[in-house]
DNA sequence: AGGCATAACCAAAGCGCTTTGGATAACATG
DNA sequence: CATGTTATCCAAAGCGCTTTGGTTATGCCT
């Protein structure tokens, strides 16, 4: 069933039917009701592409998820982020176009999206410390919101980010307050912007306590369980082992916990661990009391916020650039305790 | 830059330019070359929607990912599945349209996709034991491939699935071979088709060894770490505790491992664990020797296969229905060992 | 009564592409 | 030479919608 058929069926013109369905004022209320009912009864829904052609808008948002070429890894937070964003799109009749591309092919993907006009805007995932994508998108004139920040000119583009440095500074300070002095950092890949900021926060806290950062207890890699295990194992086996860990993700922390168990120690009693918790749906940090002490910030929520911001910008409600800095909360779980003498 | 402009620029008709770019035979080779070069030079790419309108095809595939309403959980395997499928789409110039919807609203989503003709076909995720979606999609006339199977009329629709029952039968037998007799099952939600089949395989193996299934050591729930921990903890604390576990996912098994550690035992020495491993990119089962003994089958690969099958069907190459049953491999890691006397 | 808003509707153009149904010139055929 | 053939190109219709620029009643005002 298309517009023309529906219009004929009702004995009305396509114009009127179209207007009735799109809530234009110049149509009689009784007529509108009749049209809307007929549309429902006949299961009519406007053809997406035709609508897009006519309006020049695609009613779709693009998400370009980079796949790390070196490791072929998809960042596990992205599923929950997408779920959050998706809810907002559904509520606003937008589609979500997903491209997972090796990070080297990202530029081509964005150019393609712009040229074919297949989306009205995009969300940029996983910004690096210096990210060429933001100037590219500016050049292409494609509206976008970055989940995170890239180092350059923070106020020139739209982003939603967690205050990562502050977050890790607090986490580190929390361990100092418990008496720890030898605190290790198990970070994500530091060419990523978020990881760089997290290290800054950690280092800042060390400085505040008169300590210089020690490369021997600072690691950085893709955040897998295996990595957490290896990093913790080697540090724990060293001559001057840490008594506490600040860990960038729950998955990595699970590896750290395994390494602690392997040497017969107990997390929370012998060795403390504090993590960043993205509140992933399938990796909850305990449902009554938290397993890990954590600074937490829901990535699902971030997804919602990014989507809302982008739609807002596309609809021209608010003039860009828009920025949103979220603070994380510190929740205390069973993985931390006072330094044992 | 659109077709008309490009045509004017070249002093050719739109027809000829369009044909040149789409590899039609009735255009001079020299002309084609000229057109293709001009297109590249001017950064021309056909407008997606216009093309779709004209051809009646959208060059897009829909993925409808159900979000469990009870638990608000996104199945963590889906990211890797999508990554696999996405590669195939990119290679074939198709877009991927993603909808994450609460499982109750799925029907509406499919109807909507069909009515608006926004996709050429869909992939069905997470089939239940009896799933209404397959008859719905048949009725809507939307081509589809199911990742997994639903109980009904298996040969009437297209699917790609792992041989889950056989897989779990082998896993259980492996534990029997090591001398275990008290073997627990930590399964996924049994209204899902895959979980039901896995239990069948497990029960089959028990029967083969003259044992009746014992509900006291069989659990079923959403596959989280927390669930694995709780399930194992309670079973291990019972009067007749299991000496081995068959676990439906790596994440859940990580919880089982935690519970084993909590009571001062060691996985692989005191208690054996065998898992199903989906080979998730961010949750690798060790990179040299496997952490867990596992029956494994890459969900990334399944994504590729589903996508290829669907495109093939849409292009009319092969008459449906098509089915593909994958066998998993059994890899031996450090989580299993002979029954201790 | 004439003039003028206003409400309610419609015909047709246009969005950017593909495709149908020619047109033209060059060339071969009988 | 008249007639097919073939190679190469083109004008225009059509995909299903929105939107521009009307038209036709109807009611109100002076």
């Amino acid at each position: 069933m298309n517009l023309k058929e529906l219009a004929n069926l009702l004995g009305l013109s396509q114009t009127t039917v179209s207007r009735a369905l799109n809530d234009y004022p110049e149509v009689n209320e009784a007529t509108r009701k009749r049209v809307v009912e007929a549309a429902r009864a006949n299961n009519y829904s406007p053809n997406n592409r035709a609508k897009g052609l006519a309006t020049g808008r695609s009613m779709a948002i693009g998400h370009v998820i980079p796949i790390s070429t070196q490791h072929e890894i998809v960042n596990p937070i992205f599923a929950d982020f997408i779920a959050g964003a998706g809810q907002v799109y559904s509520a606003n009749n937008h589609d979500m176009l997903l491209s997972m591309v090796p990070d080297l092919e990202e530029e081509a993907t964005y150019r393609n999206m712009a040229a074919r006009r297949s989306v009205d805007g995009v969300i940029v995932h996983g910004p690096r410390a210096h990210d060429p994508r933001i100037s590219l998108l500016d050049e292409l004139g494609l509206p976008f919101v970055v989940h995170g920040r890239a180092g350059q000119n923070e106020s020139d583009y739209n982003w939603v980010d967690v205050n990562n440095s502050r977050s890790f500074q607090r986490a580190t300070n929390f361990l100092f307050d418990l008496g720890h002095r030898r605190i290790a950092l198990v970070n994500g890949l530091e060419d990523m912007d978020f990881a760089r900021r997290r290290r800054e926060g950690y280092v800042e806290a060390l400085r505040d306590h008169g300590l210089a950062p020690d490369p021997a207890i600072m690691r950085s890699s893709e955040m897998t369980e295996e990595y957490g295990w290896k990093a913790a194992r080697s540090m724990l086996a060293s001559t001057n082992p840490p008594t506490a860990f600040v860990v960038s993700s729950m998955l990595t922390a699970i590896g750290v916990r395994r390494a602690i168990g392997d040497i017969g120690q107990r997390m929370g009693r012998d060795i403390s661990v504090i993590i960043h918790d993205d509140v992933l749906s399938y990796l909850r940090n305990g449902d009554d009391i938290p397993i890990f002490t954590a600074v937490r910030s829901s990535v699902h929520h971030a997804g919602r916020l990014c989507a809302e911001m982008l739609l807002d910008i596309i609809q021209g409600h608010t003039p860009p650039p828009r920025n949103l800095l979220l603070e994380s909360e510190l929740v205390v779980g069973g993985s931390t305790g006072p330094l044992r003498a």
Side-chain angles (χ1 to χ4, degrees), chain A residues 75-98:
Chain A
N75 190 331
I77 68 160
F78 119 89
D80 275 84
F81 182 92
I82 289 291
Q87 286 180 5
V88 176
Y89 299 145
S90 303
N92 291 275
N93 290 311
H94 279 249
D95 289 327
M96 174 160 70
L97 225 73
L98 199 68

Side-chain angles (χ1 to χ4, degrees), chain A residues 8 161 309 323:
Chain A
N8 288 343
D161 198 6
M309 184 183 283
N323 310 319

Side-chain angles (χ1 to χ4, degrees), chain A residues 247-299:
Chain A
V247 185
S248 243
S249 87
M250 174 117 81
L251 215 46
T252 310
I254 287 172
V256 171
R257 180 177 73 195
R258 176 155 68 103
I260 293 171
D262 281 357
I263 59 167
Q265 307 252 45
R266 184 130 181 189
M267 180 178 79
R269 191 190 59 190
D270 307 307
I271 289 174
S272 288
V273 172
I274 188 167
I275 71 167
H276 176 89
D277 177 14
D278 291 297
V279 198
L280 303 185
S281 64
Y282 54 90
L283 204 56
R284 282 281 151 75
N285 188 13
D287 42 23
D288 32 1
I289 66 157
I291 302 168
F292 293 99
T293 297
V295 279
R296 87 173 162 206
S297 175
S298 162
V299 78

Side-chain angles (χ1 to χ4, degrees), chain A residues 3-323:
Chain A
L3 227 212
K4 194 201 266 187
E5 290 165 13
L6 184 62
N8 288 343
L9 198 114
L10 284 160
L12 288 169
S13 74
Q14 295 190 41
T15 311
T16 305
V17 175
S18 169
R19 291 193 154 147
L21 293 173
N22 290 314
D23 285 327
Y24 276 65
E26 61 266 60
V27 42
N28 187 300
E29 220 23 74
T31 313
R32 185 196 310 288
K33 198 163 287 178
R34 206 159 65 87
V35 170
V36 169
E37 265 158 29
R40 193 191 346 263
N42 293 282
N43 216 328
Y44 167 80
S45 230
N47 180 308
N48 231 262
R49 292 185 290 286
K51 190 165 187 160
L53 230 208
T55 56
R57 305 212 354 196
S58 65
M59 301 297 276
I61 303 296
H63 284 246
V64 181
I65 317 273
I67 301 179
S68 154
T69 320
Q70 321 157 41
H71 311 263
E72 290 251 339
I73 281 182
V74 185
N75 190 331
I77 68 160
F78 119 89
D80 275 84
F81 182 92
I82 289 291
Q87 286 180 5
V88 176
Y89 299 145
S90 303
N92 291 275
N93 290 311
H94 279 249
D95 289 327
M96 174 160 70
L97 225 73
L98 199 68
S99 281
M100 293 195 139
V101 291
D103 39 19
L104 302 173
E105 296 168 27
E106 278 181 321
E107 177 170 341
T109 305
Y110 285 116
R111 285 193 182 283
N112 203 18
M113 281 186 167
R116 310 169 76 134
R117 312 212 149 280
S118 43
V119 297
D120 292 334
V122 299
I123 301 280
V124 174
H125 291 266
R128 319 293 190 292
H130 283 279
D131 204 300
R133 287 176 291 175
I134 81 168
S135 61
L136 171 64
L137 286 166
D138 264 332
E139 176 201 327
L140 292 172
L142 205 55
F144 66 99
V145 168
V146 182
H147 178 213
R149 277 172 286 177
Q152 335 94 291
N153 315 322
E154 284 179 14
S155 50
D156 284 359
Y157 56 93
N158 316 298
W159 50 261
V160 173
D161 198 6
V162 182
N163 195 338
N164 278 299
S165 61
R166 195 161 195 285
S167 194
F168 269 53
Q169 190 177 356
R170 286 183 73 195
T172 312
N173 279 335
F174 182 82
L175 295 170
F176 274 118
D177 290 348
L178 287 169
H180 296 276
R181 300 278 297 170
R182 185 81 180 147
I183 301 172
L185 174 65
V186 183
N187 204 1
L189 273 177
E190 288 181 0
D191 55 340
M192 302 298 273
D193 180 82
F194 79 90
R196 229 202 41 213
R197 292 179 195 270
R198 287 177 179 182
R199 189 186 53 190
E200 284 168 11
Y202 162 83
V203 168
E204 183 82 12
L206 293 187
R207 291 246 158 80
D208 287 348
H209 291 81
L211 291 178
D214 178 358
I217 52 170
M218 293 168 67
R219 299 295 156 86
S220 159
S221 183
E222 203 93 59
M223 303 185 287
T224 63
E225 198 265 1
E226 182 96 6
Y227 154 59
W229 177 67
K230 285 186 173 162
R233 187 180 59 165
S234 81
M235 288 192 262
L236 288 171
S238 70
T239 51
N240 186 10
T243 64
F245 291 86
V246 183
V247 185
S248 243
S249 87
M250 174 117 81
L251 215 46
T252 310
I254 287 172
V256 171
R257 180 177 73 195
R258 176 155 68 103
I260 293 171
D262 281 357
I263 59 167
Q265 307 252 45
R266 184 130 181 189
M267 180 178 79
R269 191 190 59 190
D270 307 307
I271 289 174
S272 288
V273 172
I274 188 167
I275 71 167
H276 176 89
D277 177 14
D278 291 297
V279 198
L280 303 185
S281 64
Y282 54 90
L283 204 56
R284 282 281 151 75
N285 188 13
D287 42 23
D288 32 1
I289 66 157
I291 302 168
F292 293 99
T293 297
V295 279
R296 87 173 162 206
S297 175
S298 162
V299 78
H300 183 279
H301 188 230
R304 294 190 62 97
L305 294 173
C306 283
E308 282 165 3
M309 184 183 283
L310 184 54
L311 291 184
D312 207 61
I313 287 165
I314 288 171
Q315 272 139 30
H317 289 333
T318 327
R322 294 184 52 189
N323 310 319

